[in-house]
Amino acid sequence: MQNLVAVVVNLPKQSEKQILYYKFPEKMVDILKIGCRVLVPVGNALREGYVVDFPETSEIKKLKEIAQILEDKPLIPEELMKLALWISKSYLSPIHKVIEQIIPPAMRIEPDRWVRLLENNELSISLSVLDVRVANILSSLENGPVKLNSLLRKYGGDINSSLQDLKQRGLIEIFLDFKTKETNSSVTIIEKIVKKEEYDNVLKELKRAPIQLKILNILDTVGQIEQQKLLKEYSLNLSSINALEKKGYIRKHKLKKERTPELNEEFLNHKKLTLNDSQQNAVSLITKAINENQLETFLLHGVTGSGKTEVYLRSIINAVNQGKGALLLVPEISLTHQTIGRFKGVLGQQVVVLHSGLSEGERLDAWNALRSGNAKVAIGVRSAVFAPVQNLGIIIIDEEHESTYKQTEPDPRYHTRDVAIERIRNLNGVLILGSATPSIETYYNAKQNNYTLIELAQRVKANPLPKVEVVDLKNELESGNKSIFSRVLHQSISDTLAKGEQVILFMNRRGYSTFVLCRECGESLMCKNCSISLTYHFVNSEMRCHYCNYRASVPTKCPHCGSKYIRYFGSGTQQVEVELIKAFPGIKVTRMDVDTTTRKNSHQELLAEFSKGETQVLLGTQMIAKGLDFPNVTLVGVIAADTSLNLPDFRAGEKTFQLITQVAGRTGRGDKIGKVIVQTYNPEHYAIIHAKNHDYKSFYEKEIEQRQIIGYPPFNSLVRIIINGHEEDIVMNLAEKIGLDLKNISKDKIEIFGPAPAPLAKIQNRFRWQIILKANSLDFLRKVAWHEYKKYVNLKEYNQLRIIIDIEPQSIL
Ligand code: ADP
Ligand code: ZN
Ligand code: ZN
């Protein structure tokens, strides 16, 4: 019987064959395992691949053989490889794209062309008789192979003919090699090791090598030095250093560069807390499941300020004490400094943090620390659900209702919650979903007894949940107040500041409604490429599109009617800041939005400034809605609740309820009582009324009733097919064909919405049409969507289009 292996390979063309079969020689039998990275022949090139399976038989008779195993132990743990296959199937995504999510980019390997001198070369030819280009090339190769690209960069493209010439004469060889990407993860240090008593001899010996002598002299004065520094500052070359090393006068060693992203000390927190009864009860239930290796999902429904973080921390400590690893997922790292500070304060080096702001090198370090078991706990955003934590026993998803847990672009379009459920099921571990406002789906599952519900109904501190006051903006306008602050909000800010307390003001979405509008014809200025309004930015007085980043200055005349009356309307965070300073002269404001937080660490710095009381108001977008814990904040203002209420999405009510509850939770966390003011044009909406009363259960009952009537999730599943392309005719044409196909095959089994232009009908010059499918069986939806995809994806007339299948979409914009 043959040794067969199935390997995932990233093939250049969109291909169904993501998994190829190979033979392997007997000598690999003991080392080749699932998750191993290998090189395999594809066509006449070698490619990187990952072992997924050892099949019994293959239909193909003439199989090629695996070329090489790249590492001596599997790069991807078998457990994660299994998960990758599941994701690929569940979300209809090529498996190599799933693997790209798992492996840190710095670890990926790419073939490079290298040049090296051949052994029996004729270098005795005096260099002076050679043409200068050839001489350059040869001297560059003296110390070993060099990348072809770096030769070309150094000497220019005209060395190509010289290279060919040298190759033909058999002096050099050009070859392909694989190397992991360079990451600067370590530095080379040079140190002198000549003994004192040998020194005179050494000096004599090096008389003819003045440069080597110079290096020893430098080392005499500076002690150790980084090789890079030595080369640069003293304009030396590597060969002299290497010669000294060979002679045993110096030693090189590698030092790991410290790249751990810094955590502001302000957030480190190692205080000792005694759990209250509800927390203790939660930790006991969770720990019992962990200790008994019992597969279980908990919904930790705790009001804001009920101390969920402490429950997570204790549960994780207990898991670690049992020799298990743990994973804590958070929606956005920028809000998590306090949580990270708490975990690092207690667990120290056992914790690593994974997020998109890390450099490739930092990410690699974190990955290696987990893979080797040096770190046992990972905290991270969505993609950290793939962290290679060893002996993983517990996954916690904080703020499980957040939509950032769904990846929408690119493939795989997975939901972190579902991936976590699958991963922990294979490991027989414990999953905790934590939230003050659980998603409707999750709460439904808890009610159906699929999850164990644990409630933390009270805040830790005795103070009650803050009072929420709803202000009807229609009345404000009627009574002549055109400011973005209602009279109540204005007065409350005033009172709060007078008491020396702090305010958080929340504006949904950066510059969401700061559109530019003509007062005569009423047309607003739209992006040329996307069908959404341009946003006015005060900083450079320019308009900007938040989908494609198109920028333009504000025209002096309306492009529609020629009128000169162009005005900016609505309020973005920048405008609120301007008005705030106007209304409260001398006030100090920290503004947090995408514009002020582009720099690395800027989130932390801004929050630290507010936390230390250097500013009085924290003003921001949804990035400040959750997680923050500042005891001196006693007032939260929501400038306009309507932006989320009016989104064309069946989750708009749920999102609004969550948003108000979350921002309300930012106040009254210290010893003082907090207050919340919500401004809206829709004060009677049930989402707003129940949020005002802190009444999750009533909101849930109303919402679930409506979902059942209309048949939305959790009662049915959705799949969304998006077709986009530069020419709307073709996009529409394919959308209609697919729509028709679907109606013909399965109209009695699925409900079909569309085809129609998506609410965002054009993004980056690509027109977007969508079809939404609804049915009881997700499997069936997957099957028909995949069938349509395969039918059209490779047709020539549609090769400019993209067909995207989004399984259980979170947003349908
Ligand atoms: P949640 O995540 O549920 O909104 P947090 O975990 O942020 O709540 O906790 C709210 C506050 O209560 C934090 O300042 C936290 O340090 C504090 N806290 C939590 N548990 C305790 C406890 N058992 N004793 C004293 N303070 C606690
Ligand atoms: Zn006009
Ligand atoms: Zn645009």
Side-chain angles (χ1 to χ4, degrees), residues 527-530 532 534 545-550 764:
C527 172
K528 290 201 300 194
N529 313 317
C530 313
I532 64 161
L534 291 166
C545 169
H546 287 308
Y547 281 88
C548 71
N549 218 18
Y550 166 79
Q764 295 188 342

Side-chain angles (χ1 to χ4, degrees), residues 517-523 557-563 565-566:
L517 181 129
C518 166
R519 281 169 75 194
E520 290 212 320
C521 74
E523 292 281 342
K557 272 191 206 154
C558 169
H560 306 285
C561 74
S563 155
Y565 292 96
I566 304 266

